[in-house]
Amino acid sequence: MANTAPTAARTLNSPAKVKWRNDRLFYTAMGLFVAVVAVAGFARSYYLNFWFETPAGMRRMTPLLHIHAASFTAWLILMVIQPLLIANKNRKLHRKLGYVGAGVAALMVILGNIAAVEAMNAGFAFAPDKHAFYAIPFFTLNSFAVAVLLAIVWRNHTETHKRLILLANVGILGAAIARIPSELVQAAAPFSFLFGPNLIIVAGILYDWVSRGRVHKVWVIGGAAMVASQLAIFPIMASQPWITFAKFMASLW
């Protein structure tokens, strides 16, 4: 009788199996990273507000902000659950929750944009020019929307889809980083919370390079587009057309 042990060992350690195991660990770890950073940032002002002194200048929590925070939290939960489902080969439930995730993302974008408009009247107490500062949440939040939309379009292309979902978090993690009680983070603002989320892009590039020897186009094209949108904020926010647009948006609230 032929010895099948070497064949079985080769199957278990085939490049495809190793790649799947590595991807499982990386995307699960990155989902946890996003959730931990977000909770750490919003701990004092929201999640653990009962145990911490409310940060100076924090807005009163309205029903709009509570629903916005709930949708954001739901997204964070999905960022942890979805990779775990794939890791456990439960693709059917993963796909079903994907529809939930699309709805959650849409709610986040709608409520986030409304909250940013409201903040020009009731928030942004720390900003020298509220109308100029509005450019930051506007561009970062809507870059999240574009990345999620593309992830939905390419949902049947696993390699592209999972990278776009991870990339989307670059657009929403800045608000959490801005609230981390660190002197270094605050001293480097606004660069810390505007460019800090790009660590996700760096991690994605490094992982692809080490595990595959090449970088996926999502990080090359999508990552470059995300950084370009961040850099564009500075000249745009200081322009008169933007100030006019921001004042018009503020007047709608």
Side-chain angles (χ1 to χ4, degrees), residues 61-231:
M61 290 301 294
T62 62
L64 168 65
L65 294 180
H66 276 297
I67 299 172
H68 173 52
S71 63
F72 182 80
T73 303
W75 176 265
L76 296 178
I77 293 171
L78 287 170
M79 278 301 301
V80 175
I81 290 177
Q82 288 291 69
L84 287 174
L85 289 174
I86 291 297
N88 288 284
K89 300 183 179 181
N90 194 341
R91 297 180 181 275
K92 185 175 181 180
L93 182 56
H94 176 89
R95 284 192 294 268
K96 288 182 178 179
L97 285 180
Y99 292 108
V100 175
V104 167
L107 188 62
M108 288 170 64
V109 172
I110 293 170
L111 295 179
N113 276 292
I114 294 174
V117 169
E118 182 203 25
M120 283 190 283
N121 296 296
F124 295 163
F126 53 85
D129 187 331
K130 297 178 181 180
H131 300 106
F133 188 83
Y134 171 62
I136 294 178
F138 179 87
F139 279 95
T140 54
L141 182 61
N142 290 306
S143 65
F144 164 82
V146 172
V148 172
L149 179 61
L150 291 175
I152 294 172
V153 171
W154 278 304
R155 62 189 179 277
N156 293 322
H157 300 268
T158 304
E159 296 298 318
T160 300
H161 171 78
K162 63 187 179 184
R163 287 172 174 80
L164 282 168
I165 289 294
L166 187 54
L167 177 65
N169 291 283
V170 173
I172 59 171
L173 210 55
I177 293 175
R179 290 165 172 79
I180 293 177
S182 164
E183 291 184 5
L184 181 62
V185 170
Q186 301 308 318
F191 300 99
S192 55
F193 62 80
L194 191 57
F195 297 110
N198 291 340
L199 288 173
I200 293 173
I201 299 174
V202 174
I205 290 173
L206 290 176
Y207 175 71
D208 276 4
W209 185 262
V210 171
S211 64
R212 290 167 171 76
R214 58 184 177 83
V215 180
H216 194 279
K217 60 184 177 181
V218 164
W219 302 122
V220 177
I221 301 173
M226 191 72 75
V227 173
S229 71
Q230 295 165 348
L231 293 172

